[in-house]
Amino acid sequence: GWGPFGDRAFGMFTVNKSCILQAFLRKQTDLSGKAIKRALEQGACRVNGVIERFANTPLQKGDKVSFKLPSENPQESMEILYEDSELVI
């Protein structure tokens, strides 16, 4: 699930006018600036297909932005290589 933000916190967006990434995401997602910065640091955003980690990145009209909140459970994104009754690797 996406936690308390529902589906507003993820999607594909096209930039309508030049702005900075954080301002754009605040408008699109209703998240706080702090939450956006944390998500960016965790690789939650792509601009034109490239992971973007800086909130002050300038966006141009026509840029494609995808944003997805990272999982709250870090184990969901980990691959289990080996598991038995005593050990998980």
Side-chain angles (χ1 to χ4, degrees):
W2 291 101
F5 301 108
D7 288 337
R8 293 176 303 166
F10 107 114
M12 287 283 286
F13 310 103
T14 301
V15 178
N16 296 329
K17 63 179 181 173
S18 298
C19 60
I20 65 164
L21 182 58
Q22 183 174 2
F24 180 79
L25 290 175
R26 283 190 74 164
K27 196 163 150 185
Q28 298 296 332
T29 65
D30 295 334
L31 294 171
S32 70
K34 188 175 184 179
I36 288 169
K37 283 184 179 180
R38 191 176 323 117
L40 288 174
E41 289 167 2
Q42 295 174 357
C45 182
R46 291 179 184 261
V47 177
N48 299 322
V50 178
I51 291 176
E52 184 52 68
R53 297 181 190 273
F54 298 101
N56 63 349
T57 297
L59 299 176
Q60 304 300 320
K61 182 176 182 180
D63 282 349
K64 304 279 189 230
V65 177
S66 63
F67 184 75
K68 178 179 173 183
L69 274 182
S71 169
E72 294 296 317
N73 181 355
Q75 289 184 344
E76 285 181 21
S77 63
M78 294 171 66
E79 180 182 354
I80 295 176
L81 301 175
Y82 175 83
E83 180 177 6
D84 66 21
S85 61
E86 298 178 13
L87 184 65
V88 175
I89 299 176

